[in-house]
Amino acid sequence: EPEVTQTPSHQVTQMGQEVILRCVPISNHLYFYWYRQILGQKVEFLVSFYNNEISEKSEIFDDQFSVERPDGSNFTLKIRSTKLEDSAMYFCASSPFGLAGGAQYFGPGTRLTVL
Amino acid sequence: EDKVVQSPLSLVVHEGDTVTLNCSYEVTNFRSLLWYKQEKKAPTFLFMLTSSGIEKKSGRLSSILDKKELFSILNITATQTGDSAIYLCAAVETSGSRLTFGEGTQLTVNP
């Protein structure tokens, strides 16, 4: 069964450093998402992406964050200058449909630790 | 602001018990409600409910949506230790694609 994959599984970085989290969505899906889950808290939406542009973003997704689909398979989340409060599990998800309401399928996550 | 509330937050049962997990929502322009199971890491999709009163079923799991009372329930019959997980519900609006998640229900099934 096709699945969303994410690399790395765990990333440790120093405050102020840039990190890039990578995701390979399910191959025939058209809509891509990033969510995060701070330890002990709810899963929170960050951004959705369709047709090579951001379709929706949350208040969390400020200028420090960016997303890109550099080729036909990868989808990346970049955090330009990490802060301690960026420490969280970051989930990538993909969906065959967006506004039509298809279910979103999640990857295993990248645990980001900012020291 | 959209809001999803789950109850109970934690539940401990014995194998063979039946459990009911609750999810209520306040979402502007509600479209669908989704249930996920989260074990070690990734939330795994279980059900998506869009229409009121139509039960969705998969093995021992079933779910139903009540759009008048703004809630959904997830039932698990004859629970097994492998059902131990966090169960998440999430709502989505018609005007967007973001999922708004509840806090989750931590289910522990003891042998």
Side-chain angles (χ1 to χ4, degrees):
Chain A
E1 188 176 325
E3 56 185 25
V4 176
T5 59
Q6 290 185 242
T7 53
S9 56
H10 191 189
Q11 172 109 34
V12 181
T13 190
Q14 295 290 326
M15 193 168 57
Q17 295 296 303
E18 175 184 286
V19 294
I20 298 176
L21 309 183
R22 292 183 165 79
C23 168
V24 179
I26 294 172
S27 63
N28 61 345
H29 285 187
L30 301 176
Y31 295 82
F32 314 116
Y33 312 86
W34 285 100
Y35 291 81
R36 78 172 185 191
Q37 187 174 31
I38 295 170
L39 191 63
Q41 296 188 22
K42 294 184 184 186
V43 177
E44 301 173 289
F45 170 80
L46 293 177
V47 66
S48 60
F49 190 86
Y50 168 69
N51 201 25
N52 281 321
E53 60 183 32
I54 290 172
S55 48
E56 191 177 358
K57 62 182 181 179
S58 72
E59 312 69 40
I60 303 166
F61 194 88
D62 62 21
D63 292 344
Q64 291 300 311
F65 291 89
S66 62
V67 289
E68 194 179 32
R69 186 146 163 88
D71 54 42
S73 59
N74 290 285
F75 179 51
T76 61
L77 174 70
K78 183 194 287 186
I79 309 175
R80 270 181 255 288
S81 177
T82 49
K83 304 172 192 159
L84 295 176
E85 55 265 35
D86 293 327
S87 294
M89 181 73 90
Y90 287 81
F91 293 109
C92 173
S94 70
S95 170
F97 315 107
L99 296 183
Q104 295 178 25
Y105 295 87
F106 284 74
T110 292
R111 179 163 295 289
L112 176 65
T113 302
V114 182
L115 302 176
Chain B
E1 186 183 320
D2 294 344
K3 194 174 171 187
V4 176
V5 176
Q6 293 186 244
S7 65
L9 295 181
S10 178
L11 189 55
V12 180
V13 300
H14 291 290
E15 261 191 323
D17 289 350
T18 292
V19 297
T20 298
L21 310 183
N22 303 293
C23 176
S24 64
Y25 61 90
E26 292 174 27
V27 174
T28 310
N29 301 317
F30 172 83
R31 182 179 70 229
S32 301
L33 188 129
L34 292 85
W35 283 96
Y36 288 86
K37 178 182 182 182
Q38 186 176 26
E39 294 177 89
K40 296 251 183 345
K41 287 186 178 178
T44 305
F45 173 71
L46 296 174
F47 299 112
M48 185 168 74
L49 303 149
T50 304
S51 300
S52 208
I54 298 174
E55 185 184 54
K56 292 228 173 168
K57 200 168 167 64
S58 175
R60 295 176 294 102
L61 277 65
S62 63
S63 185
I64 197 160
L65 175 68
D66 185 329
K67 290 168 79 171
K68 185 179 173 190
E69 300 297 329
L70 308 183
F71 79 90
S72 174
I73 60 171
L74 175 69
N75 279 319
I76 309 174
T77 59
T79 51
Q80 302 171 357
T81 54
D83 295 326
S84 296
I86 298 173
Y87 289 83
L88 301 170
C89 74
V92 61
E93 295 184 13
T94 53
S95 57
S97 54
R98 71 166 74 186
L99 295 179
T100 300
F101 280 88
E103 310 92 324
T105 294
Q106 171 79 63
L107 174 66
T108 303
V109 182
N110 290 322

